[in-house]
Amino acid sequence: MDKTKAVPATFDMTANAPRIIRQLFEHAGIQLNGDQPWDMQIHDPVFFQKMFTKWELGIGESYMDGDWDCDRLDEFFFRVTSHDLEQTVVGPAKIGFFLEILRQNFFNLQTKGRAFQVGEQHYDIGNDLFESMLDPYMMYSCAYWPRAANLEEAQQHKLELICRKLELKPGERLLDIGCGWGGLARYAAERYQAQVTGITISKEQQKLAQARCAGLPVTIELTDYRQLSGQYDKIVSVGMFEHVGAKNYAEYFDVAGKLLAPEGLFLLHTIGNYVTEKKRDVWLDKYIFPNGHLPSAKEITQVLEGRFLIEDWHNFGRDYDLTLMAWWDNFERAWPRLSEKYDQRFYRMWKYFILSSAGFFRSGQGQLWQLVLSKRGRSAPYRSIR
């Protein structure tokens, strides 16, 4: 019996939705109620209504509600993003899709007044969650895997790579914009004897970072980058640029330019999109990272023109797939303990977030870039390293 025919096609919007959605997924090699590990298993036909009316928000919320499952969400999303299905909108969801494009493109969603929203909603969820999922340095960004056997090694290699690219020297003043739980600040202070100022927009991150960097020449401040002053020999920003927003790129780099010493270096580590995105994923915006935006190479280079020299541009986006799968393994192992605090809907939300992100990078749509930037007047030559 064809299981797909067992799905009722009667709901408020239109009886054609199951057929249209089935054909759309088949284009990416995904079957509804099929036997492949990346196939969707539909438990409640309300899924079709949710997807047809709200698209990516509908499919994500429907998964959180338990309307459908998939053995390998990472492989499911690898196929979805490889075929750009998230941009192929049909049905009533088209109205919301274009309204969201207007909202994200005409309004500045990353103003000073909104700067702390992502910290409160995401990074303040609970340090216990992130301590369970991440490596000992608690790096919540892509690791560097070419010579690593596990997540801990890969993150240490990333930290070492950053410090070497910055040509960090003892006693130098290092500004860490978006310091997270202080992993890089701690590493730079311990291994390179740098004097580090880290900033974050998360109270929970600040509290734990201060504890983890106690006794080191490290200061952790709760502030927005637009409120900074002073001068630094080196600047680094890891996994924070995704929260800046395209309308604020010019101000962001202008601030960095004022803070950076003439002979200094600035390393920007950011997720990128291989195309300039029309809009951000609405589900991610609502449940994970409010007000985020993934830059394209075009958006970055346009705003850097006349502000910084690009000394080096390093892409290792496929390493984010490995990093995310390692995070998922850690989270899954820790879930019996975490489930005492977080409910089953949170589990499904977090699973959807981590594994959909892995598929995004596996497809090549997601990139991970490290740019080394300098001022035009810098006298010392820069040599790229890997």
Side-chain angles (χ1 to χ4, degrees), residues 182-228:
L184 175 56
R186 177 181 165 188
Y187 188 92
E190 286 180 334
R191 304 291 182 93
Y192 284 83
Q193 294 76 55
Q195 300 178 34
V196 188
T197 297
I199 69 166
T200 176
I201 42 76
S202 164
K203 294 178 181 178
E204 290 299 311
Q205 284 188 338
Q206 182 194 32
K207 182 169 60 177
L208 187 56
Q210 288 174 334
R212 290 166 62 86
C213 294
L216 295 170
V218 174
T219 301
I220 306 294
E221 299 179 3
L222 186 69
T223 189
D224 180 65
Y225 68 92
R226 286 163 284 206
Q227 297 173 311
L228 291 169

Side-chain angles (χ1 to χ4, degrees), residues 238-309:
V238 179
M240 176 271 177
F241 193 65
E242 300 88 335
H243 303 306
V244 171
K247 292 187 180 299
N248 302 307
Y249 287 167
E251 183 177 12
Y252 175 86
F253 285 114
D254 284 343
V255 168
K258 292 177 183 178
L259 297 170
L260 186 65
E263 293 293 316
L265 292 171
F266 172 24
L267 187 143
L268 178 68
H269 172 119
T270 181
I271 296 172
N273 200 317
Y274 91 114
V275 295
T276 302
E277 61 182 9
K278 299 176 182 176
K279 69 170 187 62
R280 187 77 200 281
D281 183 290
V282 183
W283 183 87
L284 278 172
D285 186 72
K286 180 176 180 179
Y287 289 99
I288 307 298
F289 295 120
N291 311 321
H293 174 76
L294 300 184
S296 66
K298 178 182 178 180
E299 288 176 307
I300 292 177
T301 54
Q302 283 181 334
V303 76
L304 285 178
E305 186 173 334
R307 289 184 168 90
F308 283 99
L309 295 182

Side-chain angles (χ1 to χ4, degrees), residues 139 141-144 155-168 174-176 184-185 187-188 192 234-239 265-270 314 316 368-372 382 385-386:
M139 296 305 300
S141 54
C142 182
Y144 193 56
Q155 290 291 16
Q156 287 182 354
H157 292 178
K158 188 263 297 290
L159 292 171
E160 180 65 19
L161 182 69
I162 288 172
C163 291
R164 290 176 60 212
K165 284 183 175 182
L166 283 170
E167 299 178 354
L168 199 58
L174 173 65
L175 173 64
D176 185 354
L184 175 56
Y187 188 92
Y192 284 83
K234 306 289 168 62
I235 300 177
V236 65
S237 184
V238 179
L265 292 171
F266 172 24
L267 187 143
L268 178 68
H269 172 119
T270 181
H314 183 187
F316 50 99
L368 190 287
W369 300 320
Q370 281 190 354
L371 283 72
V372 178
Y382 185 81
I385 65 168
R386 296 292 183 263

Side-chain angles (χ1 to χ4, degrees), residues 14-71:
T14 172
N16 291 324
R19 176 179 57 82
I20 295 170
I21 291 173
R22 182 184 300 115
Q23 291 175 346
L24 190 67
F25 281 123
E26 284 176 351
H27 179 68
I30 298 167
Q31 300 289 326
L32 302 189
N33 297 324
D35 299 324
Q36 302 169 114
W38 51 82
D39 287 338
M40 301 179 75
Q41 307 302 319
I42 309 300
H43 304 311
D44 190 327
V46 73
F47 155 77
F48 295 105
Q49 182 178 7
K50 292 177 181 177
M51 181 176 175
F52 211 51
T53 56
K54 296 191 288 185
W55 213 242
E56 75 263 29
L57 179 60
I59 190 173
E61 290 183 334
S62 191
Y63 182 82
M64 291 165 63
D65 294 337
D67 300 333
W68 65 278
D69 272 303
C70 178
D71 289 340

Side-chain angles (χ1 to χ4, degrees), residues 20 49 56 74-75 100-101 117 121-122 128 150 172-173 195 199 219 238 247 261 278 320 335 345 347:
I20 295 170
Q49 182 178 7
E56 75 263 29
D74 54 317
E75 283 293 300
E100 189 61 27
I101 290 177
Q117 186 177 346
Q121 181 172 324
H122 186 78
D128 56 342
N150 53 53
E172 286 191 324
R173 297 157 298 170
Q195 300 178 34
I199 69 166
T219 301
V238 179
K247 292 187 180 299
K278 299 176 182 176
Y320 223 143
W335 180 247
R345 197 166 193 267
Y347 172 86

